[in-house]
Amino acid sequence: MKFGLLGRTLGHSFSPEIHGRIGDYDYALFEREPEALDAFFHEDWQGINVTIPYKEAVMPYCTRISEGAQRIGCVNTIVREADGSLSGYNTDYDGFAFALDNAHIEIANRKCLILGNGATSKTIATVLADKGAREILNIARHDAIPYSDIHLHHDAEVIVNATPVGMYPKTPARLIELDGFTKLEAVFDVIYNPHRTQFLLDAERLGVKSANGLAMLVAQAVVAAKYFIGIDDVAARIRPILRAMTKRDENIVLVGMPGAGKTTVGKALATELGRPFVDIDARIAADVGSVPDYIHTRGIDAFRALETAAIAGAGKEHGQVIATGGGAVTVAANKDLLRQNGRIYWINRPLEDLPTDGRPLSAGGLETVRRLYDERKGLYADFADVVLPPANLTQTVSKILEDFNEAMRD
């Protein structure tokens, strides 16, 4: 039996992995241009998921469409029956409903804004209505409330991004600012790569509940598999897959003073976990040569610009251990670049144990190091999800692994 995902651009899809975790069946990516749809529906496949831009375009090919998909007005799962006819369903509905519940986002009696008005937004609107939303409004560039009027709706309590704005590799990007929303309780982003879009990071900064689209993606896939191969333990399969994928893809990021041991700890973690190790300073040195010489000749501001570019590149990738330079925290933008896919640990080593040789900003000895620490300690604390007390290498690695494993269970 042959299953897969139909779409136009699918290079970064997580769907084959998810279906591989669900059951033992072949699952492929079917990239097709619009003019190739007719031919595709004569190809040999048993069932497909459908993504943008074809969730509405595939409906005429279906012999039967479920009541839910008819009500929503789009299809994302199609099964070829024994007689060759096609049955269409909308499992995105199940996926989004699960994701809201999983994130404990309350919808009843809330004013909800949906960013975008494509096929996915129709599913979202239906779920929000079924969960008792007080008001549901679309904000979009065409055929909806324009973004220029969003200030008229700063009393919204829930906002859902149903657009691809902010998706890998075009990070960071956002459609709207959240600062003006006075009653905001929760935001949801259908994007799952990166783990935290700029939209979600902004919500996090405001203390607003937030969730990405991975739970929605996994849940809709498991429900689709019910139609594909008849699995009956749908609910039991979703969370283990979600946890496994989140843990595998979340970066471990290390910050701390120059000489705090970030590289040593990072290499040990990478070996333990079988992950790539990324040393930001080493990546810069590979391009410009000696970092101290570069700072001496070009200045610290020029180096910081290179550092932020290197962090931007590393931060948007997945499943790594990243060691940052000691001054990475002095550029505020670096926090979101690292947080988009990472959990950040501050290695807070005693100052008298920090080496100073070959480190331009620490070259004045312990007093210089102490002044540098006093300037940066608040920044390290702000960046970090976890502060690690002084410990030896084995203990530090153990503490990070213990915390990381526990955090990925949530």
Side-chain angles (χ1 to χ4, degrees):
M1 293 188 291
K2 188 175 181 181
F3 303 93
L5 175 65
L6 171 66
R8 194 170 187 182
T9 304
L10 303 174
H12 301 291
S13 173
F14 287 12
S15 291
E17 179 190 352
I18 294 171
H19 284 273
R21 291 176 181 271
I22 295 171
D24 184 18
Y25 52 90
D26 293 331
Y27 193 92
L29 297 177
F30 302 122
E31 286 192 349
R32 298 292 187 274
E33 293 297 316
E35 60 270 19
L37 281 185
D38 281 339
F40 174 76
F41 277 89
H42 290 89
E43 292 180 24
D44 181 24
W45 48 264
Q46 181 60 41
I48 57 169
N49 293 125
V50 184
T51 189
I52 54 175
Y54 299 134
K55 292 183 181 183
E56 295 166 303
V58 298
M59 295 183 73
Y61 296 97
C62 296
T63 309
R64 289 169 297 279
I65 296 176
S66 70
E67 185 275 332
Q70 287 182 28
R71 187 159 64 99
I72 293 166
C74 62
V75 160
N76 83 308
T77 300
I78 300 176
V79 176
R80 194 183 303 277
E81 307 292 355
D83 62 1
S85 63
L86 300 178
S87 298
Y89 306 91
N90 190 306
T91 64
D92 281 338
Y93 179 100
D94 306 89
F96 183 53
F98 171 86
L100 290 176
D101 293 342
N102 190 60
H104 307 290
I105 295 175
E106 297 292 336
I107 300 300
N109 299 314
R110 270 64 172 187
K111 178 176 179 176
C112 302
L113 302 185
I114 303 172
L115 307 183
N117 60 352
T120 300
S121 73
K122 295 180 179 180
T123 303
I124 288 167
T126 303
V127 174
L128 295 177
D130 288 351
K131 285 184 170 289
R134 182 178 78 252
E135 187 176 4
I136 303 168
L137 300 173
N138 282 88
I139 312 294
R141 292 191 175 94
H142 306 288
D143 303 320
I145 298 169
Y147 286 101
S148 58
D149 286 346
I150 199 168
H151 64 281
L152 301 175
H153 302 284
H154 275 170
D155 59 339
E157 292 141 312
V158 177
I159 307 175
V160 180
N161 177 39
T163 80
V165 174
M167 184 167 62
Y168 177 93
K170 296 180 180 180
T171 65
R174 65 164 86 80
L175 278 167
I176 64 170
E177 302 277 353
L178 294 179
D179 291 339
F181 290 88
T182 57
K183 297 183 178 181
L184 193 60
E185 297 176 6
V187 301
F188 185 94
D189 201 324
V190 298
I191 293 170
Y192 51 87
N193 185 11
H195 286 177
R196 300 169 194 87
T197 59
Q198 192 62 52
F199 179 58
L200 296 183
L201 289 167
D202 290 348
E204 203 174 73
R205 190 173 297 109
L206 293 173
V208 172
K209 192 176 294 185
S210 62
N212 71 14
L214 186 59
M216 177 179 177
L217 180 72
V218 172
Q220 69 80 25
V222 173
V223 176
K226 178 182 72 174
Y227 296 115
F228 289 166
I229 59 173
I231 64 170
D232 56 8
D233 54 344
V234 171
R237 294 182 184 232
I238 297 172
R239 284 192 176 87
I241 295 173
L242 178 60
R243 282 193 290 267
M245 293 185 68
T246 300
K247 180 179 178 180
R248 185 206 63 185
D249 286 344
E250 184 85 347
N251 294 327
I252 294 175
V253 181
L254 307 177
V255 300
M257 286 284 286
K262 300 182 294 294
T263 297
T264 302
V265 171
K267 287 180 177 179
L269 283 167
T271 299
E272 179 74 20
L273 296 170
R275 290 179 168 219
F277 174 66
V278 177
D279 186 307
I280 297 298
D281 280 352
R283 183 168 285 191
I284 296 169
D287 291 334
V288 304
S290 167
V291 168
D293 288 349
Y294 186 88
I295 293 174
H296 179 73
T297 58
R298 300 291 297 275
I300 190 63
D301 289 343
F303 172 75
R304 291 291 175 229
L306 289 180
E307 183 177 54
T308 294
I311 286 172
K316 67 175 60 178
E317 303 301 334
H318 292 276
Q320 308 165 112
V321 178
I322 301 173
T324 64
V329 296
T330 63
V331 178
N334 291 342
K335 180 180 178 181
D336 285 352
L337 294 174
L338 293 167
R339 277 283 296 146
Q340 64 181 319
N341 284 314
R343 186 165 178 82
I344 303 178
Y345 295 85
W346 174 16
I347 300 178
N348 193 15
R349 189 177 177 187
L351 301 186
E352 56 272 17
D353 293 343
L354 300 180
T356 58
D357 292 346
R359 302 177 187 277
L361 301 186
S362 304
L366 184 57
E367 286 308 310
T368 300
V369 171
R370 197 179 306 281
R371 284 196 299 271
L372 197 63
Y373 178 81
D374 288 340
E375 292 171 5
R376 293 179 178 175
K377 61 184 178 182
L379 299 174
Y380 290 130
D382 178 62
F383 267 57
D385 295 292
V386 179
V387 179
L388 297 167
N392 63 35
L393 173 62
T394 300
Q395 291 169 332
T396 300
V397 170
S398 178
K399 286 179 182 296
I400 292 173
L401 290 174
E402 181 181 359
D403 171 84
F404 188 73
N405 289 331
E406 184 63 31
M408 295 304 105
R409 292 193 186 101
D410 293 343

